[in-house]
Amino acid sequence: MKALRLHESTAQRLSLDDVPRPELAQGQALVRLHTAALNHRDEWIRKGQYGKLRYGAILGSDGCGVVEEIVSTDHEAHKHWLGKEVIINPSLGWGKNPRVQDRAYHILGMPTDGTFAEYCAVPITNLHPKPQHLSDVQAAALPLAGLTAFRAVTTQGEISAGQTVLVTGIGGGVAQFAAQFALALGAKVLCTSGDEQKLQKAREMGVHGAYNYKSSDWQKTLLQEHGECDVVIDSAVGDSIDALLGLLAFGGRYVFYGATNGRPTTLNVQMIFWKQLRLQGSTMGNDAEFAEMLRFVEAKKIIPVVDSVFSFTDIVSAFDRMARGGQFGKLVVKF
């Protein structure tokens, strides 16, 4: 089969290689992929900005396909998966505590071989029926970013109808889902970006306010137009954190699932304790949250925003588009 693997020596650090089909271990299923989707994690791996890299690993965390084979001591209990169109939960080994992942927790695609291949071996417990209202392209866009956003919005952000929510960096996969999920819950959703085209697309998606963070007075304008926020969902952190905390109402929640701008050089701790703010880290989600996220997506008929679709043979071009940072929504490949 063809698979996209990470290499230390090649110019692109990626190559499409001929490799054997996976041999299934006990409790695994073989999925023939129809579609897969990129995440920023994949590009960070290509750049070497990810821990415990395994060269020769097949990248990719998101996938939609058909189950062709299972290996199980209880074959009768699992044979219903055969021939079924599924999406894959990319979380591996979350552990017993729903509040936090085990230290051994990892994500499909590094170091375990992932979905950028014609076939992928995954635990049977990580299979879920594809939401019926989604195409295979849309379904592949959902797992990693959708799960990360769902935990940030529901478990950590505790967002409910009528609350005001600010989602930073709209256009990225997690931010896109966070905005969609918060809107579906009945919240007033605001967003930021440094790209006017992305802000316009966000308005078309239904957000109630869109602000260019390159403008010197965007925070003042936001407060004048919508008042303080109940929740901020952020992936950048860095030195913008104090400004974002300043937008929160008393008792507000700042939920962050990344730190692409690095560590802040200052932090207004007086504001944090005086306003009784909660700073909450979040990453991915447990298996129960993945199942709950799928039920929510089906009930609300949420459709992932897809920026563009590439053939699998042209997958390196999808990586290059992600590296340029101009996409709005997910980048998907078709096999």
Side-chain angles (χ1 to χ4, degrees):
M1 70 173 186
K2 290 286 187 184
L4 185 80
R5 299 199 296 170
L6 179 71
H7 294 282
E8 190 172 15
S9 56
T10 59
Q12 289 278 10
R13 293 174 63 87
L14 303 171
S15 67
L16 276 173
D17 300 332
D18 288 306
V19 301
R21 288 187 189 181
E23 293 186 8
L24 297 185
Q26 188 62 233
Q28 285 190 320
L30 183 70
V31 179
R32 176 168 57 86
L33 276 304
H34 289 167
T35 49
L38 276 71
N39 293 283
H40 281 98
R41 173 179 185 260
D42 299 305
E43 176 60 17
W44 294 331
I45 288 172
R46 174 164 75 151
K47 292 178 177 178
Q49 299 172 346
Y50 202 85
K52 298 181 180 179
L53 295 179
R54 178 173 70 84
Y55 294 104
I58 298 170
L59 304 189
S61 305
D62 292 338
C64 174
V66 171
V67 178
E68 289 202 349
E69 185 182 345
I70 59 172
V71 173
S72 172
T73 54
D74 193 353
H75 189 272
E76 287 297 312
H78 297 119
K79 69 179 184 180
H80 67 279
W81 288 113
L82 293 171
K84 182 167 287 187
E85 196 169 18
V86 297
I87 63 172
I88 299 167
N89 176 3
S91 285
L92 299 174
W94 178 274
K96 296 180 180 179
N97 187 346
R99 295 181 58 226
V100 64
Q101 70 274 23
D102 280 359
R103 291 186 182 276
Y105 171 79
H106 63 289
I107 302 168
L108 190 67
M110 183 59 68
T112 300
D113 286 341
T115 58
F116 294 159
E118 293 173 308
Y119 290 86
C120 182
V122 296
I124 295 172
T125 53
N126 285 55
L127 301 176
H128 292 264
K130 180 182 76 67
Q132 293 185 357
H133 72 290
L134 299 182
S135 69
D136 56 359
V137 167
Q138 294 163 344
L142 182 59
L144 188 150
L147 178 58
T148 304
F150 189 76
R151 182 175 176 87
V153 165
T154 60
T155 306
Q156 311 289 34
E158 301 173 355
I159 292 169
S160 60
Q163 293 185 328
T164 300
V165 179
L166 173 64
V167 178
T168 68
I170 198 70
V174 180
Q176 160 217 311
F177 282 117
Q180 287 181 295
F181 293 164
L183 285 168
L185 287 167
K188 179 196 287 187
V189 179
L190 316 175
C191 70
T192 68
S193 174
D195 184 320
E196 286 295 337
Q197 288 186 331
K198 291 182 179 182
L199 292 173
Q200 181 55 37
K201 289 180 179 178
R203 295 183 188 100
E204 294 168 3
M205 197 172 77
V207 303
H208 301 83
Y211 300 89
N212 192 323
Y213 61 71
K214 294 179 181 177
S215 171
S216 60
D217 60 350
W218 73 267
Q219 296 103 325
K220 180 180 179 181
T221 303
L222 182 152
L223 291 171
Q224 289 174 341
E225 293 179 347
H226 298 286
E228 293 177 314
C229 301
D230 299 289
V231 182
V232 169
I233 297 180
D234 182 40
S235 66
V237 191
D239 284 334
S240 64
I241 187 170
D242 279 348
L244 294 176
L245 295 178
L247 295 174
L248 283 169
F250 276 65
R253 280 121 29 226
Y254 172 81
V255 180
F256 60 108
Y257 58 90
T260 55
N261 284 346
R263 299 175 181 177
T265 56
T266 62
L267 182 63
N268 189 338
V269 293
Q270 290 88 350
M271 177 169 55
I272 295 170
F273 71 68
W274 178 248
K275 294 175 73 174
Q276 304 208 37
L277 304 179
R278 191 177 90 197
L279 276 62
Q280 177 65 59
S282 188
T283 185
M284 289 295 285
N286 60 50
D287 295 346
E289 286 169 322
F290 190 86
E292 186 181 352
M293 182 264 292
L294 291 182
R295 289 192 292 269
F296 183 81
V297 166
E298 290 205 86
K300 300 294 186 179
K301 295 295 183 285
I302 291 170
I303 296 177
V305 178
V306 175
D307 175 88
S308 46
V309 181
F310 297 78
S311 69
F312 183 53
T313 55
D314 195 31
I315 189 172
V316 175
S317 295
F319 273 78
D320 293 340
R321 175 158 178 75
M322 176 163 282
R324 292 192 295 270
Q327 75 274 9
F328 186 91
K330 297 287 289 184
L331 305 174
V332 178
V333 295
K334 284 184 70 97
F335 294 85

